């Protein structure tokens, strides 16, 4: 409950900070919308029209009031409702980000545990991969995937998005490469973390005691070690999930997916402040919700937290 | 006279080689340093090396393949020389990366120092700011900033530096708060040093190495993010950077995909070199705290005890058949240099059915290692190097792990020393009791539960139902030890190995637990190997006893005989310790003739396998 309150406060603070930073450039905004040829008078009129001549505080309270009722205003350029365009684009981004997180979680648990339990060359291979995956920027991976699988081999669509509701197989085809591109870097770092957490958990006294009771090592790893390594692994995944929201910006551009990342790029290059504002809020809410979910999951995994 | 030879006196090498020196000897470190040096050189002198004007467009060389018209790497979408642009862009990319690095370094280190050293409101505010910054996805913030501040690569890198500052902040903050409590900082304060001097002298020195490592990683991330931004076309298209070249290549991905190769290579190689450098530095730092690798790995040397003072059996000795027969057991640990450090030097030990056999010695005598060796539960790196362990007619050494496992729990069981850490915190006590019974004996859930409840009642737990449902942290240490004893006897083993089962308990609980062990042992006619350092426990409980010192058994026989006529100096010293203080004789009882051979050695076997400083 306290977490929920602090999360809400966080969203408010971010909105206030972002709003004041974005709107402080005041007069320029109308000029940018209208172009360099607009007369001073039309610029002034536009500024007034957009309410930019009022005090920052009253602008913010106005924005906040309508934002709370779900109205984030309209785009200055396309005139589309911000909430509407966010609503259209969010599923695209979420499908690749959630997909990448799930894929990364599964793959990194498998290889992280293997590296920790088997050691030897498996361990070394995992370590090399995790260094490379961490070092090579994700968009280079995305570009390589496009070149190879989509352009050379033609197995997947290089660009575009097909909604799941329209065609399930088409959706799968359109998100596979982006999900792969996004998840590789995550796998690299999460697998390394899981490897560490498992090695840590394996060295615990209770593992030895469980072995002394005649339990097979495999069972101990799956039941006891993974359960105890789950907490740290979840925390890492949460951080990665937030990071993926940023990574999605680039991957959406590479694969021409109409997600919020692409919206973010076009809105920022145009200076479409209401859209940028809406994006910031949506991301902040996603971050807060993610952290809440992780807290709940942690409480489920750890009996000590659950009871207190 | 220990197994590991004393390493030659480190007179030839300075005791502390600088990190740079060690890095140069580390192959990964050297290669990445050389690559980074090259990148920096290109960044500094790239504009002089460029064969053509990087901005000179030419219609004839638009998208020219590598090698045409004297353009080594071809031309880009405006016909500009790719090689020249690559050389010049290195300068801007690296410089912008440094902007991010320096902003992050200055903000984070200064913030961490002040917050950690001063505390108070500054600490509260900056910690809150840090978590705020870390909660935001960097890319979105950069995009928002770009909407307001325009497309300069240096501005966005400065903002990225702010976003990355928490990485340093946390590092410095953690070090400062731990160092602040150290005595030498207090001493420095008392001796009148001013705060800035204390910070500079004592604290910055502690954080220096981790900060350098962090910097390599941050530089890598900054370059990646920067090229990502530029790649999106959000950068200033006038200035050539790795990212904007990539953007140009991506626009022509169908016509001339090779254009993307060069900037990609530059980014990938630089980032990888940075991360590898950080890894190499971390490895070297960690290694410097351990003994250095030696090239000529000596073979393990086993020292055998010359004589074991053996007392004959008396009228009180149990006459059951021999359950466990250990002969010439040698336990050793593999060292980094490939040698083996021997911790148990060829001991003999017999445990009969129906007997309580005490294995007594102080910390480091190898008694716990003997117990783990018998159970096949030695920690990583440890193994039975030689000798034989025969359990009820079966030779255990050389047996496959899966076959030893079939004996564990069912035929021989183990009671640990520290009750709390030996229960899995994430599962209920009931689950941990029933799981082995269900797995090894194939019991049904209901059967196992019934038996577990009966066992909990048997070991004296007042409310078995409640304890069954409880998690380990909800019961006391004494209760937890009873639970572990119940677990050990749950599958009716023939041999019980208890490793100091009362050491971690309150004095009042100790006697109760010993009584319980005695009762269970008698009622089930088990053999019990009781590892302890306390002759009081031996007198209470044991039929026979073996005294262990420095990995060897020095005296063995019936308890009565040893108490009335201790023959070995060390046994006498242990006995005297009980008379003097009926507590834990944990100190070194080294001033005996028998201990003399060990004096001046590099380190003794320790029960908990501590790091040995050679």
């Amino acid at each position: 409950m306290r977490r929920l309150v602090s999360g809400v406060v966080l969203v408010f603070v971010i909105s206030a900070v972002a709003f004041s930073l974005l709107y402080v450039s005041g007069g320029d905004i109308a000029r940018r919308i209208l172009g360099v040829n607009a007369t001073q008078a039309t610029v002034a009129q536009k500024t007034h029209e957009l309410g930019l001549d009022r005090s920052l505080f009253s602008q913010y309270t106005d924005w906040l009031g309508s934002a709370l009722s779900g109205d984030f205003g309209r785009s200055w350029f396309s005139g589309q409702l911000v909430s509407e365009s966010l609503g259209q684009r969010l599923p695209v981004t979420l499908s690749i980000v959630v997909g990448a997180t799930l894929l990364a979680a599964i793959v990194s648990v498998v290889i992280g545990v293997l590296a920790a339990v088997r050691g030897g060359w498996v361990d070394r291979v995992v370590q090399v991969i995790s260094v490379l995956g961490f070092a090579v920027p994700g968009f280079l991976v995305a570009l390589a995937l496009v070149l190879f699988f989509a352009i050379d081999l033609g197995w997947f669509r290089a660009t575009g998005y097909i909604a799941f509701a329209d065609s399930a197989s088409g959706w799968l085809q359109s998100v596979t490469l982006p999900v792969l591109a996004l998840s590789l870097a995550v796998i690299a770092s999460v697998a390394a973390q899981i490897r560490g957490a498992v090695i840590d958990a394996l060295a615990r006294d209770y593992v030895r005691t469980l072995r002394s009771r005649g339990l097979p090592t495999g069972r101990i790893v799956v039941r006891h070690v993974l359960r105890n390594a789950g907490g740290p692994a979840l925390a890492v995944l949460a951080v990665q999930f937030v990071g993926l929201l940023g990574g999605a910006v680039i991957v959406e551009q590479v694969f021409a997916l109409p997600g919020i990342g692409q919206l973010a790029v076009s809105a920022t290059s145009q200076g479409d402040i209401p859209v940028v504002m809406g994006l910031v809020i949506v991301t902040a809410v996603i971050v807060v919700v993610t952290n809440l979910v992780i807290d709940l999951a942690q409480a489920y995994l750890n009996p000590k937290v659950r009871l207190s | 006279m220990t197994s590991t030879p004393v390493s030659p006196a480190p007179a030839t090498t300075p005791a502390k080689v600088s990190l740079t020196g060690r890095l140069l000897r580390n192959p990964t470190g050297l290669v990445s340093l050389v690559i980074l040096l090259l990148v920096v050189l290109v960044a500094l002198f790239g504009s002089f090396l460029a064969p053509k004007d990087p901005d000179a467009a030419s219609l004839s060389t638009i998208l020219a393949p590598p090698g045409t018209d004297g353009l080594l790497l071809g031309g880009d979408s405006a016909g500009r020389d790719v090689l020249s642009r690559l050389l010049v862009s290195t300068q801007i990319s690296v410089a912008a990366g440094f902007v991010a690095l320096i902003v992050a370094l200055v903000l984070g280190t200064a913030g961490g120092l002040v917050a950690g050293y001063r505390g108070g409101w500054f600490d509260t505010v900056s910690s809150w700011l840090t978590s705020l910054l870390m909660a935001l996805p960097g890319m979105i913030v950069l995009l928002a900033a770009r909407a307001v501040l325009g497309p300069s690569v240096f501005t966005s890198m400065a903002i990225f530096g702010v976003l990355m500052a928490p990485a340093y902040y946390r590092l410095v903050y953690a070090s400062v708060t731990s160092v602040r409590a150290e005595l030498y900082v207090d001493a420095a304060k008392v001796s009148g040093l001013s705060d800035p001097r204390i910070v500079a002298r004592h604290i910055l020195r502690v954080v220096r190495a981790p900060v350098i490592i962090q910097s390599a990683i941050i530089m890598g991330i900054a370059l990646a993010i920067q090229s990502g931004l530029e790649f999106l076309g959000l950068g200033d298209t006038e200035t050539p950077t790795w990212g904007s070249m990539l953007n140009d290549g991506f626009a022509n991905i169908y016509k001339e995909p090779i254009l993307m190769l060069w900037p990609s290579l530059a980014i990938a190689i630089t980032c990888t070199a940075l991360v590898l450098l950080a890894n190499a530095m971390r490895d070297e730092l960690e290694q410097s705290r351990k003994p250095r690798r030696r090239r000529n790995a000596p073979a393990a040397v086993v020292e055998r005890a010359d004589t074991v003072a053996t007392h004959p059996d008396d009228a009180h000795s149990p006459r059951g058949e021999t359950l466990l027969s250990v002969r010439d057991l040698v336990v050793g640990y593999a060292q980094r240099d490939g040698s083996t450090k021997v911790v148990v030097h060829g001991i003999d030990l017999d445990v009969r059915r129906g007997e309580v056999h005490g294995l007594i010695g102080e910390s480091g005598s190898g008694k716990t290692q003997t117990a783990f060796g018998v159970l096949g539960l030695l920690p990583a790196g440890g193994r039975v190097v030689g000798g034989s362990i025969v359990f009820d007619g079966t030779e255990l050494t050389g047996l496959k792990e899966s076959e030893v496992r079939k004996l564990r729990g069912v035929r021989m069981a183990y009671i640990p020393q520290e009750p709390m850490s030996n229960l899995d915190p994430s599962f209920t006590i009931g689950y941990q009791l029933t799981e082995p019974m269900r797995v090894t004996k194939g019991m049904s859930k209901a059967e196992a539960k019934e038996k577990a409840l009966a066992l909990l009642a048997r070991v004296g737990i007042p409310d078995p139902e409640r304890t069954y449902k409880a998690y380990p942290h909800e019961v006391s240490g004494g209760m937890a030890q009873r639970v572990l004893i119940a677990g050990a006897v749950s599958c009716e083993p023939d041999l019980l190995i208890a490793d100091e089962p009362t050491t971690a308990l309150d004095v009042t609980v100790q006697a109760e637990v010993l009584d319980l062990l005695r009762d269970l042992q008698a009622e089930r006619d088990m053999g019990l190997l009781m590892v302890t350092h306390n002759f009081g426990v031996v007198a209470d409980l044991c039929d026979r006893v073996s005294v262990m010192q420095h990995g060897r058994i020095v005296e063995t026989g019936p308890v009565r005989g040893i108490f009335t006529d201790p023959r070995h100096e060390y046994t006498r010293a242990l006995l005297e310790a009980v008379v003097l203080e009926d507590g834990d004789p944990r100190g070194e009882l080294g001033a005996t003739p028998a201990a003399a051979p060990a004096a001046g050695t590099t380190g003794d076997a320790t029960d908990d396998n501590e790091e040995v400083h050679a």
Side-chain angles (χ1 to χ4, degrees):
Chain A
M1 197 58 216
R2 234 192 67 228
R3 297 280 194 157
L4 187 64
V5 173
S6 79
V8 171
V9 171
L10 185 71
V11 174
F12 274 106
V13 171
I14 291 176
S15 77
V17 172
F19 194 90
S20 37
L21 286 179
L22 287 172
Y23 282 80
V24 86
S25 45
D28 288 359
I29 295 170
R31 165 72 64 191
R32 250 187 282 160
I33 298 169
L34 297 171
V36 277
N37 295 327
T39 63
Q40 198 59 43
T42 42
V43 169
Q45 197 203 338
K46 188 75 180 176
T47 305
H48 180 72
E49 208 177 284
L50 294 170
L52 293 172
D53 50 354
R54 292 178 303 142
S55 80
L56 195 62
F57 182 75
S58 70
Q59 286 184 61
Y60 176 63
T61 46
D62 267 12
W63 177 88
L64 192 63
S66 45
L68 283 177
S69 58
D71 176 15
F72 290 92
R74 279 172 189 282
S75 159
W76 287 342
F77 292 87
S78 69
Q80 198 185 11
L81 277 174
V82 173
S83 51
E84 197 180 291
S85 63
L86 282 175
Q88 278 167 4
R89 287 157 177 274
L90 206 53
V92 182
T93 303
L94 285 183
S95 27
I96 61 166
V97 169
V98 173
T101 311
L102 289 180
L103 180 70
I106 295 165
V107 176
S108 27
V109 165
V110 172
I111 62 175
V113 169
L114 270 183
V117 176
R118 293 252 173 251
W121 66 270
V122 185
D123 193 17
R124 275 192 291 275
V125 168
V126 169
Q127 292 199 42
V128 168
I129 293 178
S130 67
V131 167
L132 281 182
F134 181 72
V136 178
F139 65 93
L140 288 186
V141 176
L143 289 175
L145 285 174
V146 171
L147 269 179
F148 190 67
F149 287 107
I151 295 180
D152 277 6
L153 295 175
W155 289 357
F156 295 98
R157 298 167 59 90
T159 54
Y161 178 77
I162 296 169
F164 186 76
D166 294 342
S167 153
S169 66
W171 173 80
L172 198 63
Q173 236 199 5
S174 63
V175 298
T176 303
L177 285 184
V179 165
L180 269 183
L182 274 180
S183 57
L184 282 180
V186 181
I187 290 171
S189 70
V190 178
Q193 303 265 5
I194 287 182
R195 172 183 168 274
V198 169
I199 286 177
D200 196 45
L202 272 176
R204 294 295 167 88
D205 286 348
Y206 58 78
V207 170
R208 183 172 55 221
T209 299
L210 289 166
R211 286 181 62 204
S212 82
R213 300 274 158 80
L215 293 179
T217 312
R219 185 185 170 95
I220 296 175
V221 167
V222 172
R223 294 259 161 149
H224 296 269
V225 169
L226 271 189
R227 174 75 172 263
N228 283 289
L234 264 183
V236 177
L237 263 184
V239 172
Q240 294 288 339
F241 179 81
V242 172
L244 279 183
L245 289 175
V249 173
I250 291 176
V251 167
E252 281 172 14
Q253 199 72 7
V254 172
F255 293 97
L257 294 175
I260 58 168
Q262 210 183 43
L263 183 67
V265 173
S266 60
T268 43
S269 44
Q270 288 171 326
D272 199 344
I273 304 294
V275 179
V276 176
M277 200 55 212
L279 281 165
V280 169
I281 298 305
V282 165
T283 352
V285 169
I286 293 177
V287 169
V288 167
V289 170
T290 312
N291 287 334
L292 269 179
V293 171
I294 292 297
D295 282 345
L296 291 177
Q298 295 279 28
Y300 170 75
L301 278 177
N302 186 343
K304 278 188 213 171
V305 178
R306 193 188 315 169
L307 290 159
S308 56
Chain B
M1 253 183 68
T2 43
S3 52
T4 31
V6 185
S7 58
T12 45
T13 46
K16 208 180 165 188
V17 187
S18 70
L19 185 61
T20 334
R22 285 203 306 268
L23 262 184
L24 291 176
R25 272 186 265 142
N26 175 318
T28 323
L30 184 65
V31 171
S32 15
L33 267 182
V34 168
I35 292 177
L36 293 176
L37 196 68
L38 275 179
V39 173
V40 170
L41 284 179
V42 169
L44 287 177
F45 304 110
S47 32
F48 305 110
L49 293 173
K52 299 243 158 87
D53 178 358
D55 296 322
S58 151
L59 278 177
S60 63
T61 52
I62 286 179
L63 296 181
T68 42
D69 274 344
L71 303 183
L72 200 57
L73 300 181
D76 71 0
S77 62
R80 296 169 295 200
D81 179 24
V82 171
L83 178 63
S84 304
R85 284 183 77 75
L86 195 63
L87 288 171
V88 174
S89 66
T90 303
Q91 187 167 30
I92 294 160
S93 297
V94 172
F98 269 112
V99 168
L101 181 65
I102 287 162
V103 169
L105 186 65
V106 169
L107 280 182
T109 315
L113 276 179
V114 177
Y117 195 71
R118 289 278 159 154
W121 64 268
F122 187 85
D123 186 2
T124 320
V125 172
S126 50
S127 295
W128 197 79
L129 266 178
T130 313
S131 20
L132 178 75
L133 282 177
M134 292 184 81
L136 293 171
M139 197 48 118
I140 305 288
V141 178
L142 286 177
L143 289 179
R146 194 251 174 218
V148 181
L149 301 170
S152 158
V153 61
F154 292 100
T155 329
S156 34
M157 279 294 99
I159 289 168
F160 188 66
V162 177
L163 290 176
M164 281 287 118
Y168 289 108
Y169 176 84
R170 297 219 153 167
L171 193 73
V172 174
Y173 182 82
S175 312
V176 172
T177 41
S178 71
V179 167
R180 192 177 51 174
E182 296 280 345
L183 286 175
Y184 61 80
V185 174
D186 285 342
K189 259 186 198 161
V190 171
S191 64
L193 281 182
S194 63
D195 281 354
R197 292 198 57 184
I198 294 175
V199 167
R201 243 198 225 178
H202 298 285
I203 294 176
L204 281 182
R205 180 172 300 172
V206 175
V207 298
R208 193 180 52 193
V211 160
I212 295 173
I213 294 174
Q214 189 76 37
S215 301
I217 291 172
I218 296 223
M219 185 71 181
I221 299 176
L223 286 177
I225 286 278
Q226 172 206 337
S227 40
L229 274 178
E230 304 275 314
F231 166 70
L232 289 176
L234 292 177
D236 183 354
T237 42
E238 296 304 307
T239 36
T241 60
W242 291 340
S244 61
M245 291 181 68
L246 207 53
N247 181 25
D248 185 52
F250 184 59
N252 298 292
I253 189 168
Y254 290 97
K255 285 178 246 163
E256 196 60 36
I258 202 164
L259 274 181
M260 291 195 336
L261 180 66
W262 315 117
S264 299
L265 275 181
I267 297 164
I269 290 174
T270 313
C271 290
T272 310
L274 282 165
V275 171
L276 286 178
L277 182 68
N279 278 3
M281 280 196 274
R282 189 176 298 138
D283 287 351
E284 285 300 325
L285 270 183
E286 278 170 7
Q287 245 181 50
S288 63
R289 294 189 200 112
K290 293 177 184 169
R292 298 279 307 168
R293 192 178 277 263
R294 280 186 296 264
R295 277 189 205 288
N296 300 318
V301 183
V302 179
E303 301 291 333
R304 299 227 150 81
D306 303 328
T307 50
V308 179
T310 312
H311 297 254
D313 279 357
D314 58 24
H316 298 272
S317 306
R319 299 288 172 193
E321 91 257 31
T322 304
L323 202 54
L324 176 72
S325 172
V326 173
R327 287 289 168 272
D328 212 11
L329 176 73
V330 181
V331 174
Y333 281 82
Q335 302 293 294
R336 287 176 63 89
D337 59 8
S339 69
T340 304
K341 189 181 82 180
V342 173
V343 296
V344 175
H345 295 260
I347 61 153
D348 298 344
L349 188 71
D350 286 304
V351 181
R352 298 169 194 171
R353 189 181 290 277
E355 145 184 283
V356 182
H357 193 122
L359 184 59
I360 189 168
E362 37 182 329
S363 304
S365 60
K367 52 195 196 304
T368 301
Q369 301 303 322
T370 306
F372 286 161
V374 170
L375 286 161
L377 293 177
L378 286 166
R383 65 189 182 94
V384 172
V385 181
S388 96
I389 303 167
V390 176
F391 173 71
D392 203 17
T394 314
E395 173 64 57
L396 298 186
T397 55
L399 218 56
K400 270 196 241 142
E401 160 66 18
S402 58
E403 285 168 54
V404 183
R405 196 190 74 224
K406 284 183 193 135
L407 297 174
R408 282 200 294 258
V410 188
R411 301 289 321 273
M412 51 183 192
Y414 159 74
I415 299 171
Q417 172 176 354
E418 175 64 50
M420 281 327 228
S421 67
N422 278 286
L423 287 168
D424 184 338
S426 302
F427 288 86
T428 61
I429 284 167
Y431 184 85
Q432 295 184 59
L433 277 179
T434 52
E435 190 190 11
M437 288 192 268
R438 284 162 55 204
V439 172
T440 60
K441 296 229 152 172
M443 284 188 192
S444 76
K445 220 172 178 174
E447 271 176 312
K449 177 171 183 184
E450 195 185 328
K451 175 138 195 207
L453 288 173
L455 278 168
L456 287 174
R458 174 64 193 86
V459 296
I461 280 172
D463 188 351
E465 280 282 355
R466 220 183 85 202
T467 307
Y468 185 88
K469 288 190 197 112
Y471 283 94
H473 69 273
E474 297 169 307
V475 300
S476 70
M479 286 293 140
Q481 191 58 293
R482 286 168 198 272
V483 167
L484 284 162
I485 292 172
V489 300
S490 66
C491 296
E492 274 115 30
D494 302 292
L495 174 68
L496 202 54
I497 297 176
D499 182 12
E500 308 221 18
T502 55
T503 310
L505 303 178
D506 285 346
V507 181
T508 45
V509 186
Q510 283 184 5
E512 290 171 29
V513 168
L514 287 178
D515 284 346
L516 172 66
L517 276 172
R518 181 65 160 167
D519 291 351
L520 284 170
Q521 180 267 334
E523 143 193 333
R524 292 161 189 242
D525 198 28
M526 292 180 291
L528 171 58
L529 179 63
M530 184 80 184
V531 175
T532 181
H533 62 264
N534 190 334
F535 251 121
V537 171
V538 172
D540 257 7
L541 204 64
C542 298
D543 302 304
R544 289 197 301 145
V545 61
S546 296
V547 182
M548 210 169 170
Q549 186 194 21
H550 302 308
R552 283 169 280 267
I553 288 187
V554 293
E555 187 159 5
T556 183
V559 169
R560 211 170 276 264
I562 286 185
F563 266 82
T564 49
D565 176 26
R567 289 186 202 154
H568 198 277
E569 278 295 332
Y570 183 65
T571 313
R572 266 176 244 151
L574 279 177
L575 277 170
E576 270 160 31
V578 181
V579 180
L580 285 174
E581 183 203 357
D582 195 18
D584 298 355
R586 298 298 279 192
E588 169 82 16
L589 300 170
T592 66
T601 50
T602 52
D604 285 309
T606 53
D607 273 355
D608 36 8
N609 188 31
E610 283 169 6
E611 191 70 52
V612 174
H613 301 282

